[in-house]
Amino acid sequence: MNKTFNESLNTNPYFQSLPIYIQETIKQSGIDINSEEELRSTVENLLAEN
């Protein structure tokens, strides 16, 4: 069975390069992220809110 993108975040190089608080926000939010493009968009939105 293939892991979903969300399940493989911990091994994604871009995700690992993010500050810990962004990683934790994404993990705890329950946001369904299906691709690196969605991950990058989510990060941009989170950074714009701060």
Side-chain angles (χ1 to χ4, degrees):
M1 182 167 98
N2 290 338
K3 287 184 175 183
T4 65
F5 192 82
N6 269 3
E7 292 173 330
S8 63
L9 280 178
N10 288 330
T11 59
N12 180 283
Y14 175 68
F15 184 77
Q16 291 299 306
S17 74
L18 297 170
I20 297 297
Y21 79 95
I22 294 287
Q23 293 180 30
E24 288 302 316
T25 299
I26 291 170
K27 288 178 186 178
Q28 293 176 13
S29 70
I31 298 170
D32 188 26
I33 299 173
N34 297 303
S35 68
E36 185 153 337
E37 182 179 335
E38 286 181 16
L39 173 60
R40 289 178 182 271
S41 177
T42 299
V43 170
E44 286 178 23
N45 290 335
L46 288 171
L47 292 174
E49 291 176 6
N50 292 326

